[in-house]
Amino acid sequence: MSRRVRKRVEGWGKEKVDFTEIQNNLTLDEKRVVDWTGLPDDTVITVFSRLNNHDRASLSSTCRTWRTLGKSPCLWQVLDLGTHNLDAVAASSLASRCENLWKLQFRGIESADAIINLQAKNLWELSGDSGWNMTDATLCMLAARHEALECLQIGPDLCQMISSDAVKVIAICCPQLKKLWISGIDQVDGNAINALAKHCRNLADIGFTDCPKVDETALGNVASVRFLSIAGISNINWNLVVQEWSKLPHLIGLDVSRTDICPNTVLKIFSSSFSLKVLCALNCPALEEDATLVSNDNHKGKVLLAVFMDILNGVAKLFVDMPKNNKNIFLQWRNSNEDEKLGEILNWLEWIISNSLLRVSEINPPSLENFWLNQGTTLLLSFMQSAQEEVQEWAATALATIVTDDDNIFSDTGMAEAVMLDDGIRLLLNLAQSWREGLQSETAKAIANLLGNAKVAKAVSEEGGISILINLARSTDGERVLEHVVGALANLVGDDRCSTGFASIGGVHALVTLVRSCKVGRVQEEAARALANFASHGDTNCNAAAVGQEAGALDALVQLTRSCHDGVRQEAAAALWNLSSDDRNQEVIVAAGGVEALVALAHSCLNASRDLQERAVGALWGLAASEVNSIAIGREGGVAPLIALARSDAEEVHETAAGALWNLAFDPGNAFRIVDEGGVPALVHLCSSSASKMARFMSALALSSMFDERMNEIALIGISTEGTSKSVDLDGDDIETHRRFCHDNF
C-alpha cells in the first residue's frame, strides 16, 4: 500500500558580467578544455561576489591567483555569518581580510564571542541574534571593541539576559550610534536611556521591543530620535507617553504594535505631536475592537497603520507627490529614483512592519485570517524584495510560518492563491537561488509548506522549480538550507504530475546521494521522505524501479532504519514500503539485510509514534508479499511484534498489521507461530470490533488462510514446515469454530 507524506516544513551581485569579454579571454587547449584561469581579474571578483562564504573559500583554494583575488578588500566589506557558527579559530583565520569590513551579521552566542578576533575595528553595522543566552559581558565587549558603530541590532529573539547596564555601556562606547534595536531586555531604565540621550547625539532610530518595562519619561529626553518602536511592550503608562513624547521635536514614526494602546490614546498622540507622521499599531486588540476608530480616517494629516485598514494605501498617503499609479508604494518607490527622505521613512516602515508580521505569524491568531489573505501576503512578498537583508528574511520566515499550521485550512487554499496572485512563486524561486543562505533557507521552507496545494505544485513545476530545487540539493551544503530544499522536493514529488520526469533530470540521483552520504538527521529524513513519495506514483511502478536502479539506494535506506532518530527511521521504512512493490527491489532489500532490520524496527517501535509503527509494519507487509520473504520474516521473529501492533488503537497501525499477518499466514509455519503468539484472539477482535473495513477484511483473510483444509492436515500430524516436531494447542473443534466464524461473518 503506497503512502505519500507531506510536511509543513545584495549589496554585491548587481554587476553585469560581460560574457563576450569572458568568451574572448578564455583559452582552449587542443582537447577543447576551457582554461578558467584566463578570466580577467575583475570578472573573477564579480563571480566571487555572487557566492556565499563557503563557496568563495572553496573557489579561492583552487589556485594561487584566485587565492589572491579572493582576498580582495571589496569582497570583504560585508560578512553574513547567519547560517554558520564562527569560533575563535575561524575568526582569527579571517582577521587579515576584515580590515575594511563595515557590516557584519551573525547568529549564536559562540559567533558573538568570537567576533572580536576578526579585528574589524572600523565596523559600522552589527546585527545578530544570540537569543536568550547573550549576556551583558558579551554585548559590552562588542560595543567596546567597535567604537565606530552606527547601527547595532540584536534580535528578533528575546535577549532576556541583557540588562540596562549593557545599554549604558553601548551609549558610552559608541557615540556615533544612529540606530539601536534590541529585543526582550528585561527592563530599560531611565539611567540607560538618559546615557543614550547624552552620548549618542545622532541616535535617530530606537527600538526596544518585547520588553516588560521601559522608562517612558526618559525616552522623551532623546531629542534626536526620529523613529521609535516599543512594539510588544507591556505595562506602558500611556499618559506619560502622550505627555513626554509629544515634545520630541523630530519624531516622525512611532511603532506601538502588539501593545494595549486604546483609541483614545491614539487620538491624543495625533493631536499632541506636531512632527509625527505615522503611527503603526499592528495587532492591537483594543484598537481592532473599536468600530468608531476603524471608520474614522481623519487624523489631522497623520496616518494610522493597523490590520483593519489598507496598509499600502495608508503608506501611500504619506507622500502627496508620489504618483498613485501603483497600489504597492514600496515596489513603486524601489522602481523610482529612490528619493532619500522618502526612502528613510519607507525603510523604517519595512523594518517595523516586517518585524511585527514575523511576531504575529508565530502565534497566528484566527482573527487575522482575512488580513493575511487580503493584504498580509502582498506585504510579505513586497518585503522579500527589500534592499534590507533582515527585512527579506523576516518576511520569508513569516510566510513560511503562516502556512506551517495544518489546522488552518486557509493556509492550504487562500494563502496559496494569494501568493500566486502576486506572482509570488516566481519570486520565491528566484530568492531560493540567492547567495545568502539565510534567505535561501527561509524561501525554500515557504515553498515546501505551500506545496501542499496542487495549484502551487503546478506553478512551481511550470516555473522550472523542480530543476532549481534539484540543483540546490546538489550544490548546497548548509544544513538548514538543505533540509528545507529537500523538504520542498519531497512535497513536490508527492504530486503525481510533478513526479513525471523527475528521475530523468537527476532528481532521484540527487536524493540517493544525500541518503547515502549526508549525516544530518533532518536532511536524511527529508530525503527518505522524498524517495517514499516519488515511489508512491506510477501505474507500472516505474518510479519504484528508478529508485532501485540507483546504486546503493536500497542499502542506504535499510541502514537508515537503524538510525537513532525516529523521524529518519520512519521515513526510511516508508520508502522501503513503497519501493517493495517492485520485485527486483524486494530482492535487493532482503540481500541488504532488510528483513532483519525491519523486524528489529518493529520490535523497537512498540511504544513509538503511530506514524513510525504504521510505516515499520507497512514495510514488512510489502516484503511479505513474497512467499520466500514471508518465511524469512517469520523465522526472524517478525510475528510477535505484528500481533502486538495488531492490538493497537490506531486504525492505520492495526490495518497494516492485519495485512502483514495475512501475507504471513499463507505459510503453515507462520500460521502456527500466529497461533502460538496469541494472534487468533487479536485477529478475531479486529474482525468483530475494528472501525476500519480494511482491518476487518484483512483479519478475516488472515484467519481464513490459517484455517483452510491444509491446516487440518498439519494440525493433526503436528509437524511444522521447518520439519521439526511442534506442539500445537489447537484441536479439531477449535479449527472448526474459527472456520465457522469466518464463514458466518465474511
Side-chain angles (χ1 to χ4, degrees), residues 414-446:
M415 280 296 295
E417 293 176 4
V419 170
M420 291 189 291
L421 184 64
D422 286 317
D423 202 20
I425 300 302
R426 181 178 302 175
L427 171 63
L428 288 170
L429 289 172
N430 288 338
L431 293 177
Q433 301 174 82
S434 167
W435 63 271
R436 288 166 39 219
E437 291 187 3
L439 187 58
Q440 276 187 327
S441 174
E442 297 306 323
T443 51
K445 182 179 178 182

Side-chain angles (χ1 to χ4, degrees), residues 462-479:
E462 291 175 347
E463 292 288 347
I466 299 177
S467 296
I468 290 172
L469 293 171
I470 290 173
N471 289 334
L472 285 173
R474 289 173 177 151
S475 60
T476 301
D477 65 344
E479 293 181 9

Side-chain angles (χ1 to χ4, degrees), residues 320-547:
V320 294
D321 297 330
M322 197 74 175
K324 304 300 186 297
N325 56 356
N326 189 328
K327 183 181 178 181
N328 194 326
I329 185 67
F330 294 103
L331 292 178
Q332 183 178 337
W333 166 63
R334 294 188 202 107
N335 294 329
S336 67
N337 294 325
E338 299 189 8
D339 176 79
E340 185 175 348
K341 291 184 177 180
L342 175 63
E344 183 184 32
I345 297 177
L346 289 178
N347 278 333
W348 180 76
L349 287 174
E350 282 187 335
W351 182 277
I352 59 103
I353 295 175
S354 62
N355 182 270
S356 285
L357 293 182
L358 174 60
R359 288 297 189 194
V360 172
S361 71
E362 293 169 352
I363 55 176
N364 202 6
S367 60
L368 292 184
E369 290 186 7
N370 288 333
F371 166 76
W372 292 121
L373 296 178
N374 296 333
Q375 58 175 320
T377 303
T378 299
L379 284 168
L380 293 178
L381 293 174
S382 173
F383 294 153
M384 287 183 202
Q385 301 168 70
S386 170
Q388 302 179 82
E389 295 174 357
E390 293 89 350
V391 170
Q392 283 188 301
E393 291 191 25
W394 290 345
T397 303
L399 181 62
T401 303
I402 296 166
V403 295
T404 297
D405 189 354
D406 289 322
D407 294 331
N408 288 337
I409 298 176
F410 82 100
S411 300
D412 286 339
T413 54
M415 280 296 295
E417 293 176 4
V419 170
M420 291 189 291
L421 184 64
D422 286 317
D423 202 20
I425 300 302
R426 181 178 302 175
L427 171 63
L428 288 170
L429 289 172
N430 288 338
L431 293 177
Q433 301 174 82
S434 167
W435 63 271
R436 288 166 39 219
E437 291 187 3
L439 187 58
Q440 276 187 327
S441 174
E442 297 306 323
T443 51
K445 182 179 178 182
I447 293 169
N449 292 346
L450 286 165
L451 280 168
N453 183 282
K455 293 181 180 179
V456 171
K458 180 181 179 183
V460 169
S461 179
E462 291 175 347
E463 292 288 347
I466 299 177
S467 296
I468 290 172
L469 293 171
I470 290 173
N471 289 334
L472 285 173
R474 289 173 177 151
S475 60
T476 301
D477 65 344
E479 293 181 9
R480 290 174 56 206
V481 182
L482 198 54
E483 174 191 340
H484 295 149
V485 166
V486 180
L489 284 173
N491 288 345
L492 193 60
V493 296
D495 185 283
D496 194 0
R497 294 167 298 181
C498 295
S499 70
T500 304
F502 182 75
S504 64
I505 57 176
V508 173
H509 179 73
L511 294 174
V512 170
T513 300
L514 290 174
V515 168
R516 295 183 62 188
S517 61
C518 184
K519 303 303 180 184
V520 181
R522 290 292 298 168
V523 178
Q524 292 176 331
E525 178 181 343
E526 295 296 349
R529 184 169 67 89
L531 290 174
N533 285 351
F534 177 72
S536 68
H537 300 299
D539 293 337
T540 60
N541 214 30
C542 56
N543 288 4
V547 176

Side-chain angles (χ1 to χ4, degrees), residues 71-78 95-103 118-124:
K71 296 181 180 180
S72 301
C74 62
L75 295 174
W76 295 93
Q77 294 178 337
V78 177
S96 61
R97 311 180 189 189
C98 296
E99 182 179 353
N100 297 312
L101 190 67
W102 65 269
K103 179 177 181 179
L118 292 175
Q119 301 180 15
K121 297 182 179 180
N122 298 317
L123 202 63
W124 294 350

